[in-house]
Amino acid sequence: MIKGSNKGTSTDFYGNYNISVAKGKTLVFSSIGYQKKEVLVKNITGKIVLEEDTSVLGEVVITAEFGLKRVKRSIGSSVQHIDGKTIEDSGRENFITALAGRVPGLNIGSTSGNPGASTNVVLRNITSISGNNQPLYVVDGIPMNNSTFDPSGMAGGGFSVRDMDFSSRGNDFNPEDVESITVLKGAGAAALYGSDASNGAIIITTKKGKAGKGTVRFSNFLKFSNAYGYPEMQDKYSNGAKGTTNYYYTSKYGGLYPEDTKIYDNIDAVLQTGVQERYNVSVEGGSDKATIRGSFSQLNETGVIKTTEYKRTNLSLSGKAEITDWLTFEGALQYTNTGNNKVRTGTAGPLYRAMLWPMVDDMSNYLAEDGSHMRSPEYYLDDDLLNPLFGMHKNKYYDESDRFISNISLNITPLKNTFLRAQVGWDVGMQTYVTSTHPYYANANAGEGQYNLVQSNFSDPTINIIGGYNNKFLDDKFSFSAQLGYHQVENGVTRAASYGSNFIETDFQSINNTDPLSQTAIQRNTTRRVQGVSGSFEFGYNNLAFLTLRARNDWSSTLPVENNSYFYPAIEGSLIISDLDFMKNNEAINLLKLRGSWAQVGKDARPLQIDPQLQQTNLTGGGFQYGFTGPNPNLKPEITTANEIGVDLGLFKNRVKASFTYFTTENSDQIVQGFRLSYATGFVLNTLNVGTFKTKGWEANIDVDVIRNNDFTWNVGVNGSQGSSEVVSLPENVTEYYNSYTWNSGNIRNGIMQGESISSLTGRAYERNDNGDILISPTTGLPITDDEWSIIGDREPKLRFGMNTSFKYKNFRLSSLFAGRLGATVVNGTKRYMMERGTSWESVDLRESGPQVFTGVIRDGNENTDNPTQNTIAVDYSMYGSSIFTGGDEDWLEKDVNYIRMQELRLSYRLDDNLLKNSKLFSQMNLFFVANDLFTWTNYSGIDAVGNTVSAAAGGTGGEGIDVWSMPNPRSYSVGVSITLN
């Protein structure tokens, strides 16, 4: 700042700045955590170095609710701040995945490693059994739509969240527009945002330009990606059964391949080297009164699965201005256009179908001689195999989107120590979703062709009006601030879905090319509106003790009138122990902060839960009726009650920074969708307030500047978190609630039972006697599986962790990031299918190992006596036909899985200023190399230890930890340059 004025500027990440100032004036240099320095302009030569000031660490200001600022030391709940530069440098095209491993208690799961894959984010623990568990995303005070399209909403059906994954709308955002991200994990920290923030909030502040000389910045990424980590296919035994080669069989239990047989890698045939290009141009500038910034970004990506691609164009314009001494203005407009070609996932995807293709045939030659039909493999006489490459090139799975996010805010200071903030925002998007199946992608090339078209638009207007007052009293010993607000958010969706079959022209993909008699259409319009009033009152003493009281009341349109109003309070406090007299002279402890909070947050239902959409009866005389799901006019809001206590530390001149938080939650009156009760209710599925569960856990992080001086710095950071849950109650007549879309490997599914975890796995376990011995069938010699489902595992790991380190020497910077889990349980559905089909080397070992005797006791009536009959019946795997005994559900759980992935490795070099000082074009140039997902260390034997069997649209407890032909994140390498123009 120029001393004595309000004119100033900010440095970039490397400390460079521009400012116009007359000689003889004084510049005041300041930065959080450092002592101010005043320098006469005529004396400025070379670098300005600031000395550390450990006394101001607690004065860090963060962006909190509705874009307002809060002093971090006054916040009583866990809050983490991430600089936008960290997100930009991550090499990720998605700001959400860039957060993985950086924030304790933040779990990010991608449906796959394909371009545009949906993402599921959970802060701390799940709070809803079947509803939304993702945090609220807020951009400059305005909620951002992060929905994922559910393919079951297509008129033709045939697709679900287990085999079709559409992009999450959070993928639309350009990471290079991010100024900073604040993660509010607790219900107390997000209480003012109401129902939508019951799972926490991720607050995004965008760049608005900086005062000073106008700057133009250009950056370019070029990324190459390769798939890795797939299990090896056995190439010893051919297709067939009982050791006899027969290519009528898709399973590989035939004879040995002749020595001169050419074997093709058909898995590799669907893979390629992925390429991504990303360009970003930004222009910014302004004065101390007004700043403006505009940016353009273009991303083009081809995935590691052939035919997959993702394109995104971003345009943004933002700025702020001081209109008068009492009025300021901020505004932003962002436009995004995306297009995403994809493939199906799981057992409907190309990897699984490539496994079935005979290895003696080149699957990459997918066209018949006529160039139109799908070629059948050589040697193979049946007609039920589908060549995935034909489907990838001839079918269409596509979505595109146009989206605008805009907001305008006015900040008025009508009187001293008061403010009034009025903000209006609008998030609007237009999406098109297409699935098209070619007529020849069918048995004997004899299909009809199917076409699904969905036009889905959303419109989310938002209003926030907040008035506040803050002041200090009694020689500034006491402080007080208050905020009162009115809030309104609306989520409107207009959706029209069309379906047709029986293509008239074989290769023309359009709804207009289908038989008019086959066409059907569905329209579904929903609107959800939540209105709320809120209040917040903060009391402070001597800048070391703070108490904050909050309250909000919401009215939701998705609940019955008699239950649509719900009130919830919150309280939080913090105490800066290190500012007490007996601690002030302690040179080792610079910050010791105790904090705690208690809060309640309500959560409403999805639209059309009170009265579901009606459908035609198709009966004589027509009419309408409910579908499988019945109405519930008595729904109440879910309520989450959260507690947390924690400590923040700064040691040894803040070279060591640490925090620890312990939390508990109780989630009651769960609104559970698709709940199965007796058919006597008149419906197959129900939506009810059923069940209560509790969660608890901890999260911690420590950050250490091992070496810190002008030329060289070395920083190391470690974070970890652990959580657990217990279902306290379910209806008496319900033994299990499960997500049917997670039922993808045998009889294993994400089932929820009273007294167990909400992340548990249920399946049909082996029957056992009272002593715990497995019961064996006296006729087959095989273990006997129970007819009832029971708990067989828990997907929640014992520890989630992240590690990062960075080195900076002069103009070089090297950094790395690791993320992992300890003690996880993973469903290895991939290996199960490979064992069943005889394509794994484990299946070869079994058939070559001779007769096997399973350990257990015979179920002959003596199993629970003092002398049960030990099993001696031998089972010969070589006598099996087109399959072998693949074990039970328990056999395909890999427990105590440990996993660590190198998420990021970055090396950058900033050209020395002396090299550019004579350049009329460049003022700064940075060269960088980034590698993402370089390798994984794990004792897991499947494809992906964090595999996910459903897309983010499934909601609820999700399908993470269930690996069924998953597509993991590929290994990628990026090179690029960032240039600042004069």
Side-chain angles (χ1 to χ4, degrees), residues 323-373:
I323 308 300
T324 67
D325 291 339
W326 53 270
L327 175 64
T328 60
F329 167 87
E330 289 186 17
L333 173 65
Q334 299 177 44
Y335 166 74
T336 305
N337 171 264
T338 64
N340 190 195
N341 279 310
K342 56 189 82 264
V343 294
R344 297 182 72 176
T345 58
T347 54
L351 297 175
Y352 175 76
R353 293 201 176 276
M355 177 195 72
L356 299 180
W357 201 264
M359 298 179 73
V360 294
D361 185 81
D362 184 4
M363 192 184 73
S364 63
N365 181 17
Y366 61 88
L367 289 176
E369 291 184 2
D370 63 5
S372 297
H373 289 78

Side-chain angles (χ1 to χ4, degrees), residues 236-367:
K236 188 173 184 179
Y237 289 94
S238 64
N239 293 50
K242 295 186 177 180
T244 301
T245 299
N246 187 335
Y247 283 93
Y248 278 99
Y249 291 91
T250 55
S251 297
K252 294 175 174 56
Y253 293 102
L256 296 170
Y257 288 114
E259 290 186 6
D260 59 348
T261 303
K262 182 173 178 57
I263 300 297
Y264 294 91
D265 187 347
N266 290 323
I267 292 286
D268 188 64
V270 302
L271 301 175
Q272 66 181 5
T273 298
V275 179
Q276 181 191 113
E277 294 178 284
R278 190 169 7 142
Y279 308 93
N280 193 82
V281 179
S282 64
V283 181
E284 63 180 293
S287 66
D288 55 311
K289 295 290 186 180
T291 61
I292 190 170
R293 179 181 186 271
S295 73
F296 165 80
S297 178
Q298 179 65 48
L299 183 151
N300 300 310
E301 179 179 10
T302 57
V304 295
I305 297 285
K306 291 179 179 177
T307 73
T308 60
E309 62 179 358
Y310 179 69
K311 295 183 178 181
R312 186 182 70 204
T313 302
N314 294 91
L315 290 168
S316 69
L317 182 65
S318 59
K320 55 185 178 181
E322 182 181 332
I323 308 300
T324 67
D325 291 339
W326 53 270
L327 175 64
T328 60
F329 167 87
E330 289 186 17
L333 173 65
Q334 299 177 44
Y335 166 74
T336 305
N337 171 264
T338 64
N340 190 195
N341 279 310
K342 56 189 82 264
V343 294
R344 297 182 72 176
T345 58
T347 54
L351 297 175
Y352 175 76
R353 293 201 176 276
M355 177 195 72
L356 299 180
W357 201 264
M359 298 179 73
V360 294
D361 185 81
D362 184 4
M363 192 184 73
S364 63
N365 181 17
Y366 61 88
L367 289 176

Side-chain angles (χ1 to χ4, degrees), residues 624-640:
F624 294 88
Q625 65 180 11
Y626 287 117
F628 291 110
T629 303
N632 188 341
N634 301 311
L635 284 181
K636 299 182 294 183
E638 295 181 2
I639 296 295
T640 296

Side-chain angles (χ1 to χ4, degrees), residues 420-436:
L420 179 65
R421 179 182 176 90
Q423 185 173 39
V424 177
W426 192 23
D427 188 358
V428 57
M430 294 75 71
Q431 288 86 43
T432 300
Y433 303 95
V434 175
T435 65
S436 178

Side-chain angles (χ1 to χ4, degrees), residues 518-623:
S518 71
Q519 294 175 6
T520 59
I522 297 175
Q523 184 175 353
R524 180 185 173 105
N525 300 339
T526 62
T527 301
R528 166 186 175 264
R529 181 182 294 128
V530 176
Q531 292 176 296
V533 292
S534 66
S536 176
F537 306 90
E538 180 182 286
F539 305 87
Y541 170 71
N542 207 26
N543 203 31
L544 61 84
F546 301 88
L547 178 68
T548 303
L549 304 176
R550 294 177 167 181
R552 173 159 172 155
N553 199 96
D554 280 349
W555 292 264
S556 171
S557 66
T558 64
L559 294 171
V561 174
E562 57 272 20
N563 295 331
N564 72 353
S565 174
Y566 43 103
F567 170 83
Y568 39 93
I571 183 172
E572 63 179 62
S574 66
L575 177 63
I576 314 300
I577 302 292
S578 52
D579 279 4
L580 297 175
D581 290 339
F582 74 95
M583 291 285 291
K584 282 186 175 180
N585 295 323
N586 190 320
E587 295 183 359
I589 302 177
N590 310 118
L591 175 69
L592 174 57
K593 171 185 171 181
L594 299 180
R595 50 182 168 77
S597 69
W598 173 92
Q600 280 191 336
V601 180
K603 183 184 292 187
D604 57 352
R606 296 179 184 176
L608 298 181
Q609 300 302 306
I610 306 171
D611 286 302
Q613 183 176 357
L614 298 177
Q615 62 186 39
Q616 291 180 325
T617 63
N618 294 321
L619 299 175
T620 302

Side-chain angles (χ1 to χ4, degrees), residues 651-924:
L651 307 174
F652 310 117
K653 296 185 178 180
N654 290 315
R655 294 180 69 154
V656 178
K657 302 168 191 172
S659 68
F660 177 85
T661 303
Y662 176 80
F663 63 87
T664 63
T665 62
E666 180 176 341
N667 306 277
S668 58
D669 289 329
Q670 289 286 291
I671 301 175
V672 181
Q673 298 169 293
F675 205 89
R676 295 174 182 268
L677 292 175
S678 168
Y679 290 174
T681 61
F683 299 96
V684 177
L685 304 175
N686 297 267
T687 300
L688 302 170
N689 286 105
V690 292
T692 296
F693 67 92
K694 295 181 178 181
T695 64
K696 62 181 179 181
W698 59 266
E699 58 197 26
N701 68 279
I702 182 170
D703 190 86
V704 181
D705 286 335
V706 182
I707 300 174
R708 186 170 67 186
N709 58 47
N710 291 339
D711 288 330
F712 182 71
T713 60
W714 175 25
N715 175 269
V716 177
V718 178
N719 67 75
S721 64
Q722 186 272 334
S724 61
S725 61
E726 180 186 1
V727 178
V728 177
S729 66
L730 285 174
E732 292 182 2
N733 57 343
V734 175
T735 59
E736 178 189 10
Y737 170 78
Y738 63 89
N739 183 338
S740 59
Y741 292 117
T742 63
W743 195 347
N744 290 336
S745 176
N747 286 303
I748 302 175
R749 60 198 186 194
N750 173 214
I752 296 170
M753 295 183 174
Q754 186 168 327
E756 303 292 344
S757 167
I758 57 172
S759 55
S760 60
L761 294 162
T762 60
R764 293 174 59 183
Y766 290 127
E767 287 191 4
R768 300 175 185 268
N769 64 5
D770 294 342
N771 195 42
D773 302 312
I774 294 176
L775 300 183
I776 306 297
S777 168
T779 57
T780 65
L782 297 175
I784 301 171
T785 55
D786 200 330
D787 292 333
E788 300 294 330
W789 273 259
S790 60
I791 300 293
I792 60 174
D794 187 352
R795 297 175 296 157
E796 182 64 29
K798 296 175 183 177
L799 176 69
R800 302 177 189 267
F801 64 91
M803 300 184 296
N804 65 83
T805 185
S806 65
F807 302 86
K808 185 177 182 295
Y809 176 69
K810 294 186 177 179
N811 292 348
F812 287 93
R813 189 171 188 270
L814 176 66
S815 62
S816 64
L817 173 69
F818 295 84
R821 302 174 186 188
L822 298 178
T825 295
V826 183
V827 179
N828 197 339
T830 300
K831 281 291 187 71
R832 186 177 199 161
Y833 277 106
M834 293 181 70
M835 178 70 77
E836 178 186 349
R837 294 289 187 170
T839 61
S840 64
W841 284 107
E842 287 86 348
S843 70
V844 172
D845 293 339
L846 280 179
R847 75 186 82 173
E848 293 181 344
S849 61
Q852 301 289 315
V853 176
F854 289 96
T855 302
V857 299
I858 300 294
R859 190 172 69 178
D860 57 1
N862 297 319
E863 59 268 21
N864 286 316
T865 65
D866 293 335
N867 189 28
T869 306
Q870 297 297 316
N871 178 41
T872 59
I873 303 172
V875 176
D876 190 350
Y877 280 99
S878 65
M879 296 305 294
Y880 274 75
S882 59
S883 180
I884 59 176
F885 175 65
T886 58
D889 292 339
E890 293 179 82
D891 296 317
W892 298 103
L893 297 184
E894 295 195 27
K895 298 187 177 182
D896 294 321
V897 170
N898 301 320
Y899 162 96
I900 181 171
R901 173 177 286 168
M902 191 171 194
Q903 299 269 105
E904 179 186 323
L905 177 67
R906 179 183 172 90
L907 175 64
S908 64
Y909 173 71
R910 180 173 63 89
L911 267 66
D912 193 274
D913 294 341
N914 291 328
L915 297 176
L916 298 175
K917 64 181 181 180
N918 295 323
S919 171
K920 296 181 179 180
L921 183 61
F922 306 124
S923 61
Q924 187 180 124

